[in-house]
Amino acid sequence: MPKVPPGVGPRFPQVVVLFGATGDLARRKLLPGLYHLATAGFIPQCRVIGVSLDDIEAEAFRTLARGALNEFFARKLNDADWQAFAANLDYVPLSAGAGALRAAVDRAEQSLGEECRRLHYLSVPPSAALPAVHLLGEAGLVERSRIVMEKPFGTDLASAVALNHELHEVFAEEQIFRIDHFLGKEPAQNILAFRFANGLFEPIWNRMFIDHVQIDVPETLGLGKRSGFYEQTGAYRDMVVTHLFQILAFMAMEPPTSLEPAPIGEEKNKVFRSMLPVDPAHVVRGQYVGYRDEEGVDPESETETFIALKCYIDNWRWAGVPFFLRTGKKLAEGQRIISIAFREPPKSMFPAGSGVGAQGPDHLTFDLADASKMSLSFYGKRPGPGMRLDKLSLQFAMHDTGLLGEVLEAYERLILDAMRGDRTLFTTAEGIERLWQVSTHLLESPPPVRLYQPGSWGPKSIHQLIAPHAWRLPFERAWRAPNRLGG
């Protein structure tokens, strides 16, 4: 078993109550993640109690968990580790009620034989979240516990306020962890390291040197079986409020007084408080051709499967700098990037035809895939006579370090942080309510949806939205292949 540095894991043994334990997210991410955390030594001791609508026994749940690991666990399975993990799995059908759930938690805690903590994970549809919260309250499982909630956190300001009010009747705000797997990825945290640890970039991270910022998360996937859910939400509610705005806060926040959860959370909330309301005139909504033929979709649906927008942060650092956000389904590529465009020199002394300015401004680009990549583009002289310039780039990839095997999957990191009580990568009630507030005008008066072909980059009007700039995707050059050091 690999050695885990002290202080990385929680201090106390953990009892995990996993609602939606037989669902897709649990099978793909949560059960494999808990298995890795437990067997790699990140958690001192752990018991997992599955809860769902399925009326099955504990042994059937263990069989399901083994199947999930066989299908989705990226590392090699060790049979001895599996036997130890399986012995710590239990199951309670939702129909058994609060008493049976409390009895299962009591058994788990008694088997641990020492002081422990509870982590309740709600991997359930929005309609089932509050009933699960009330079941935990009825079972007396609020004390010594933290609760992890999946999006959506409301669908507008009124519903978010109502949801938070009802949550706070059972759990205190400091017990609630609203999860965003985008922020659990290594590159999202690398933004903090890059910004605040490097004297080269910290002084130029402001409106004097940065021209505009793009956060671009196109997806090639369609909706699968989520069309009924998606019809009630759309791309803006599903992706922008819960993911892209959170990434924007990491990129735009002021230096915190320390790298502790409370100061970082406060700086993120300051960004949200400084955001100007989203102007519908600065938004392009799209819908891919064929969406209205999907099962569960209104034949005249105006739900957007694509959204691009321009927004502003009205504070001293970012006044006047546009932030362009784009995401959508069935687009040409699947990418997750933040691209920072630097201001160009005020005057060029290079001769006409030198190539300066022909390929746009210098960019710093973060790839938010699980394995960190960064690129810095710049102009450099082409070898030979005369003054011809080409766009060149410096690139870093986690593959190059030989440390790729140490990267925790996003859900693993966030589960571990919730167990430790580290709220750095989680949003607050105040933050989420403010984001719905700045979204109100757009939600009340959305522009019409424009059709786009699957496999394209969205409606043509996205180019007018970003003009006189251009979208960074598709890239003019590919990322370099990893070198042999990292495989």
Side-chain angles (χ1 to χ4, degrees):
M1 185 177 293
K3 292 217 176 222
V4 175
V8 170
R11 292 171 50 213
F12 301 101
Q14 302 286 318
V15 175
V16 179
V17 178
L18 177 56
F19 284 84
T22 60
D24 188 61
L25 179 62
R27 291 175 58 251
R28 287 177 177 274
K29 297 292 185 182
L30 305 181
L31 289 169
L34 286 165
Y35 171 82
H36 180 231
L37 292 175
T39 57
F42 286 98
I43 311 171
Q45 294 183 75
C46 181
R47 301 287 188 274
V48 179
I49 301 169
V51 181
S52 83
L53 290 169
D54 292 302
D55 192 6
I56 59 175
E57 301 290 335
E59 193 56 42
F61 178 55
R62 294 185 188 105
T63 301
L64 179 145
R66 179 60 191 247
L69 292 174
N70 289 339
E71 189 172 357
F72 299 112
F73 188 60
R75 300 170 175 88
K76 187 176 180 180
L77 268 176
N78 179 294
D79 198 56
D81 285 344
W82 160 249
Q83 294 297 336
F85 183 72
N88 293 326
L89 295 179
D90 199 358
Y91 184 84
V92 177
L94 200 59
S95 58
L101 179 58
R102 177 62 193 242
V105 172
D106 285 344
R107 285 196 304 273
E109 293 183 342
Q110 288 165 11
S111 71
L112 291 170
E114 55 184 296
E115 186 179 0
C116 53
R117 297 289 183 268
R118 303 159 179 163
L119 183 76
H120 308 307
Y121 198 117
L122 271 54
S123 176
V124 296
S127 60
L130 285 174
V133 168
H134 291 303
L135 179 66
L136 290 167
E138 185 184 346
L141 296 174
V142 175
E143 186 184 359
R144 291 184 285 109
S145 75
R146 299 180 177 111
I147 183 167
V148 179
M149 298 194 65
E150 287 279 345
K151 64 169 188 170
F153 312 120
T155 55
D156 54 20
L157 179 59
S159 62
V161 170
L163 173 63
N164 287 329
H165 177 75
E166 199 161 345
L167 281 174
H168 292 156
E169 289 180 347
V170 182
F171 289 92
E173 175 63 21
E174 56 268 23
Q175 292 178 282
I176 302 169
F177 289 72
R178 297 169 185 83
I179 197 167
D180 175 8
H181 70 274
F182 271 57
L183 294 187
K185 294 180 179 297
E186 200 74 44
Q189 296 152 80
N190 220 359
I191 296 169
L192 294 181
F194 192 89
R195 285 190 58 190
F196 301 131
N198 294 299
L200 178 62
F201 288 98
E202 190 280 328
I204 62 171
W205 210 265
N206 57 62
R207 63 185 183 87
M208 302 299 292
F209 298 94
I210 292 177
D211 184 77
H212 65 278
V213 177
Q214 296 181 33
I215 301 175
D216 212 349
V217 186
E219 297 181 283
T220 57
L221 298 174
L223 300 177
K225 298 178 180 178
R226 298 178 69 229
S227 54
F229 162 77
Y230 205 83
E231 179 70 357
Q232 305 302 316
T233 54
Y236 185 81
R237 289 179 170 94
D238 185 46
M239 289 291 291
V240 176
V241 175
T242 50
H243 293 324
L244 273 62
F245 280 158
Q246 303 298 327
I247 295 170
L248 181 151
F250 262 42
M251 189 271 154
M253 62 188 271
E254 295 296 317
T257 54
S258 68
L259 283 179
E260 295 294 322
I264 290 176
E266 175 56 21
E267 295 305 334
K268 284 175 59 185
N269 283 343
K270 283 182 185 177
V271 173
F272 299 147
R273 289 197 291 268
S274 300
M275 286 179 65
L276 294 176
V278 178
D279 185 347
H282 294 161
V283 176
V284 174
R285 297 169 69 237
Q287 185 185 94
Y288 64 77
V289 174
Y291 170 74
R292 294 174 183 176
D293 300 326
E294 303 258 9
E295 185 180 350
V297 173
D298 184 339
E300 299 181 0
S301 174
E302 290 292 305
T303 299
E304 79 279 358
T305 62
F306 171 97
I307 191 129
L309 62 99
K310 175 169 62 175
C311 61
Y312 291 93
I313 300 169
D314 191 25
N315 63 14
W316 193 272
R317 182 182 293 265
W318 297 113
V321 176
F323 287 75
F324 297 99
L325 280 55
R326 176 173 65 169
T327 187
K329 301 290 186 183
K330 291 200 175 182
L331 296 177
E333 292 180 25
Q335 294 274 1
R336 294 169 179 173
I337 69 156
I338 303 175
S339 191
I340 294 108
F342 293 101
R343 293 192 183 279
E344 298 189 67
K347 182 173 173 56
S348 174
M349 74 285 291
F350 294 92
S354 66
V356 169
Q359 297 184 54
D362 299 337
H363 283 86
L364 173 65
T365 302
F366 294 88
D367 187 323
L368 297 181
D370 284 323
S372 299
K373 287 189 287 190
M374 288 183 285
S375 172
L376 179 63
S377 69
F378 55 91
Y379 282 104
K381 183 184 177 300
R382 182 184 299 177
M387 186 57 76
R388 289 281 297 163
L389 279 74
D390 289 324
K391 204 71 162 178
L392 309 173
S393 69
L394 297 170
Q395 292 189 10
F396 160 80
M398 185 63 71
H399 292 275
D400 298 338
T401 66
L403 300 174
L404 190 60
E406 298 184 22
V407 174
L408 282 180
E409 201 276 339
Y411 279 99
E412 294 174 355
R413 174 178 299 279
L414 292 169
I415 289 170
L416 195 62
D417 282 354
M419 287 178 172
R420 296 169 57 227
D422 185 338
R423 302 170 59 83
T424 303
L425 303 178
F426 299 85
T427 192
T428 64
E430 177 192 341
I432 203 70
E433 288 176 16
R434 172 59 184 166
L435 290 175
W436 285 121
Q437 187 178 11
V438 302
S439 305
T440 297
H441 191 29
L442 172 63
L443 297 177
E444 290 178 347
S445 305
V449 293
R450 302 170 185 270
L451 296 179
Y452 64 94
Q453 290 296 326
S456 71
W457 284 100
K460 296 287 189 290
S461 49
I462 61 171
H463 302 296
Q464 284 80 50
L465 174 70
I466 203 170
H469 314 297
W471 292 101
R472 282 282 280 156
L473 288 174
F475 284 133
E476 68 276 8
R477 67 177 70 80
W479 291 95
R480 282 197 289 271
N483 67 24
R484 291 187 180 180
L485 174 65

